[in-house]
């Protein structure tokens, strides 16, 4: 939630800031603003409500020249989405200007204290507290700290202020009297630095840096960076000055632009054959008929003694976890529990020493998932992350992990990250299975099926045209049911979530047989039921459930496997997907459901990539 950017160098700051904010817009899109320091050292702020394009127009009609600046795109937490609450915010008598991503929990107490000291608040945000607090720390410095770094006293004031704050922050700060420096800091909210030639960049994630530099630093919690055009100094609250590790940023501009597609969601749906290949690349061993992972950081003894697995996540990632439970229990016979991270973090379940905890998160920043993994770590469990965003908070927090390598996912509704999470979980099922019960032969068969999966997903993408027609037929419905069993129960949940998220139609995902215990009361001629009914051991059972809906006059949309003829006799609309092994059916059957929600949302005039009230990365509880 919220995205921040910063630039310091000799180029045009507003150009980088605007483009960077466009790339971060998925993090929040209710208002935006920039602060730019002009060549005479004067800081000017421009803010608008609404999307980044409004800010771009404001800057186009009244440009702010300068080669140092910070910017922000907001998802409101404290205070409505007004221009006054948009960032950047001033601290003190405009002594400093800052952008913030995160939440300050003790802001009310700090605000009262600062007000009693004479600070006047212009907004309803928690952020303004940080700005005034840093200003008050600067004001109090009688003999500013001086060392080789002429800006050390600024960093010292920031450090002192942050010590009084309880909450999370990613910060970018410019100073009225020191126009050649930006200070960045993070705790619990993501922040990266880009290292260029005579220029430095700040951003909430790597995407704004793409095309500007391929050198990236993932700032860690409690680090403060002091940036000038040609210098960079990082200190840690407890360790003093640290040497940041500069890593290679592997992405090109096509990863963060639409590349000819009308929406990021559509682009990402069509990227799935490739993202699945990337998730399995280098992770399948034909010789041992198993999967391989480089970063679990567990000894063979520890791996052998795992007797329970907890998968914790939120939203779509939770649906992937549910499929993971089915797969790991089936292949490896290890008991698995799937926990909503928001529940797990405040529960106190008995957890044995042989329990392994996986946090699954596309962004790696979801506050509840981060909270849950911290809680599990505190209790002494080995924690692992399955994340897409490299260097993200959850990836940093966990003891080890597996990256999805799906590339940036920008559409708020998750698509390619979901299938990549499911893929990584099937690799884990194979891995643990081969350590326990699965034969070499069974391992080989699973590997062969996995190798064939990307081409099957590519074929499933060909259903686009028929799905579009089905979307036109049902786009005015106000309720949908999504029904599937076993491996396709998570598919039903995910299909329903996709529709809700982007088209604002109420949809419920249910295990098909459970429908009789409630949702069947919703069935009428206006409520379409989407059945996921590929061949397999529950096929006949699902057929009976279809009959039950049919008998009550409910329209039926069915996702079937090639060669099926029975379902068409009952269903109103049928979409055929390629035949795959049963454990891979969720990968092909989710494709038409993603496309269905996309086309329905388009027909209803919804903003597919930026649905109302949602944000891609939920960094608040
Ligand atoms: C938000 C997003 C969802 C996502 C969920 C979990 O609600 O809108 O698309 O599934 O957060 O996000 P994560 O990054 O942890 O997978």
């Amino acid at each position: 939630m919220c995205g921040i950017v910063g630039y310091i160098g000799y180029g045009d700051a507003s150009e980088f800031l605007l483009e960077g904010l466009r790339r971060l817009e998925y993090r929040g899109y209710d208002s935006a603003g920039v602060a730019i320091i002009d060549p005479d050292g004067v800081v000017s702020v421009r803010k608008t409500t609404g999307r980044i394009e409004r800010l771009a127009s404001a800057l186009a009609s009244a440009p702010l020249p300068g080669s140092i600046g910070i910017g922000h795109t907001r998802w409101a937490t404290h205070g409505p989405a007004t221009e006054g609450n948009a960032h950047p915010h001033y601290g003190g008598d405009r002594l400093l200007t800052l952008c913030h991503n995160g939440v300050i929990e003790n802001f009310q107490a700090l605000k009262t204290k600062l007000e009693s000291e004479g600070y006047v608040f212009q907004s309803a945000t928690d952020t303004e507290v940080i700005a005034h607090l840093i200003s008050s720390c600067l004001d109090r410095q009688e003999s500013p700290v001086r060392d080789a770094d002429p800006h050390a006293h600024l960093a010292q004031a920031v450090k002192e202020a942050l010590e009084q704050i309880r909450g999370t922050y990613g910060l970018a700060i410019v100073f009225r009297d020191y126009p050649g420096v930006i200070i960045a800091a993070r705790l619990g909210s993501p922040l990266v630095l880009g290292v260029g030639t005579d220029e430095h960049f700040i951003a909430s994630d790597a995407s704004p840096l793409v095309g500007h530099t391929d050198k990236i630093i993932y700032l860690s919690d409690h680090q403060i960076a002091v940036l000038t055009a040609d210098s960079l100094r990082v200190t840690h609250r407890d360790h003093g000055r640290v040497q940041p590790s500069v890593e290679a940023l592997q992405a090109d501009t096509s990863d963060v632009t639409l590349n000819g597609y009308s929406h990021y969601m559509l682009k990402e749906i069509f990227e799935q054959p490739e993202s699945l290949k990337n998730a399995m690349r280098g992770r399948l061993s034909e010789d041992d008929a198993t999967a391989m992972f480089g970063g679990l950081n567990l000894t063979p003894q520890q791996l052998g003694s795992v007797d329970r697995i907890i998968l914790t996540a939120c939203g779509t990632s939770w649906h992937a976890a549910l499929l993971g439970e089915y797969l790991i229990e089936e292949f490896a016979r290890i008991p698995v529990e799937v926990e909503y991270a928001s529940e797990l973090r405040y529960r106190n379940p008995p957890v044995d020493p042989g329990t392994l905890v996986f946090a699954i998160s596309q962004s790696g920043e979801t506050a509840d998932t981060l909270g849950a993994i911290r809680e599990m770590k505190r209790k002494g469990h080995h924690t692992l992350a399955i994340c897409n965003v490299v260097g993200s908070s959850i990836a940093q927090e966990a003891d080890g992990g597996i990256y999805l390598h799906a590339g940036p996912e920008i559409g708020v509704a998750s698509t390619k990250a979901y299938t990549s999470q499911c893929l990584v979980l099937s690799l884990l099922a194979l891995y643990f299975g081969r350590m326990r019960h699965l034969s070499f032969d069974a391992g080989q068969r699973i590997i062969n099926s996995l190798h064939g999966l990307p081409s099957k997903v590519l074929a499933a993408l060909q259903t686009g045209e028929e799905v579009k027609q089905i979307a036109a037929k049902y786009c005015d419905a106000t309720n949908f049911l999504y029904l599937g069993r076993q491996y396709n129960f998570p598919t039903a949940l995910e299909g329903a979530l996709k529709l809700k998220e982007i088209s604002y139609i109420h949809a419920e995902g249910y295990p098909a047989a459970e429908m009789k215990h409630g949702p069947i009361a919703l069935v009428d001629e206006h409520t379409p039921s989407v059945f996921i009914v590929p061949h397999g051991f529950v096929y006949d059972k699902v057929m009976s459930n279809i009959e039950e809906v049919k008998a009550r006059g409910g329209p039926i949309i069915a996702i079937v496997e090639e060669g099926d003829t029975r379902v068409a006799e009952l269903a109103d609309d049928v979409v055929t997907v390629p035949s795959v092994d049963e454990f891979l059916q969720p990968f092909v059957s989710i494709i038409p459901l993603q496309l269905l929600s996309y086309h329905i949302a388009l027909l209803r005039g919804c903003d597919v990539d930026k649905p109302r009230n949602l944000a891609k990365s939920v960094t608040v509880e």
Side-chain angles (χ1 to χ4, degrees), residues 147-167:
D147 70 359
D149 178 357
H151 303 115
H153 67 294
L154 300 177
Q156 179 63 25
V158 171
K159 180 172 179 266
E160 282 167 21
L162 296 182
E163 277 164 3
Q164 299 174 55
I165 280 170
R166 212 176 56 239

Side-chain angles (χ1 to χ4, degrees), residues 458-615:
L458 187 64
L461 286 164
Q462 307 310 314
T463 57
E465 270 314 305
E466 5 167 359
V467 170
K468 205 169 163 181
Q469 283 166 24
I470 297 172
K473 197 164 157 188
Y474 297 106
C475 65
D476 293 325
T478 50
N479 278 306
F480 269 74
L481 293 175
Y482 283 72
L483 303 156
R485 287 186 81 160
Q486 299 291 311
Y487 293 135
N488 278 307
F489 166 45
T491 315
L493 292 176
E494 178 58 9
L497 181 64
K498 288 288 88 73
L499 189 72
K500 264 185 283 209
E501 282 179 313
I502 62 169
S503 71
Y504 320 140
I505 296 175
H506 172 249
E508 283 195 45
Y510 247 78
E514 189 65 17
M515 171 196 71
K516 294 187 287 294
H517 304 289
I520 199 163
L522 300 176
V523 170
D524 62 16
E525 67 275 26
H526 306 296
T527 303
S529 292
V530 181
F531 277 93
I532 302 121
V533 54
H535 291 144
F537 75 108
V538 287
Y539 179 81
D540 286 327
K541 312 276 178 204
V542 182
M543 285 302 282
S544 312
N545 303 137
I546 294 180
E547 295 274 12
E548 287 153 14
V549 171
K550 182 86 182 163
R552 286 157 183 84
I556 293 161
I557 303 165
I559 311 299
V560 304
E561 187 175 316
E562 56 196 347
D564 190 290
T565 49
R566 275 177 65 195
V567 176
E569 289 168 18
L570 294 175
D572 298 85
D573 297 278
V574 170
V575 182
T576 305
V577 292
S579 207
V580 288
D581 271 2
E582 258 185 280
F583 80 99
L584 293 178
Q585 285 168 351
F587 295 83
V588 288
S589 48
I590 192 63
I591 303 292
L593 302 187
Q594 293 171 341
L595 289 167
L596 183 66
S597 61
Y598 172 79
H599 287 298
I600 290 182
L602 265 194
L603 288 164
R604 291 168 71 96
C606 300
D607 189 338
V608 171
D609 283 336
K610 300 184 192 78
R612 71 181 180 207
N613 302 340
L614 300 180

Side-chain angles (χ1 to χ4, degrees), residues 26 255-258 261 263-275 406-417 419 461 591 594 609 616:
Y26 72 86
D255 289 328
V256 290
T257 52
L258 283 167
Y261 283 91
H263 295 90
Y264 283 106
M265 183 183 180
L266 192 63
K267 177 183 178 227
E268 288 154 8
I269 290 174
F270 276 86
E271 280 172 350
Q272 289 175 105
E274 211 45 47
S275 51
E409 190 182 67
I410 295 171
V412 165
S414 183
T415 52
K416 64 174 179 174
T419 45
L461 286 164
I591 303 292
Q594 293 171 341
D609 283 336
K616 185 144 190 77

Side-chain angles (χ1 to χ4, degrees), residues 314-317 360-364 366 412 414 421 501 615-616 618:
C314 301
T316 287
S317 301
I360 306 171
S361 172
Q362 186 287 128
S363 63
T366 302
V412 165
S414 183
Q421 289 165 337
E501 282 179 313
K616 185 144 190 77
V618 181

Side-chain angles (χ1 to χ4, degrees), residues 217-264:
I217 295 168
Y218 296 97
L219 223 54
S220 298
D221 280 350
H222 299 296
Q223 287 190 339
I224 296 176
V226 179
L227 303 138
T228 67
D230 41 27
S231 74
L232 165 64
R233 187 179 161 112
V234 180
T235 52
H236 183 279
R237 182 191 64 181
D238 306 325
H239 314 305
R241 180 139 190 208
V242 292
Q243 196 53 46
S245 105
V246 182
E247 299 183 29
L249 172 59
Q250 277 150 355
D252 62 48
T253 322
S254 65
D255 289 328
V256 290
T257 52
L258 283 167
N259 223 11
Y261 283 91
S262 46
H263 295 90
Y264 283 106

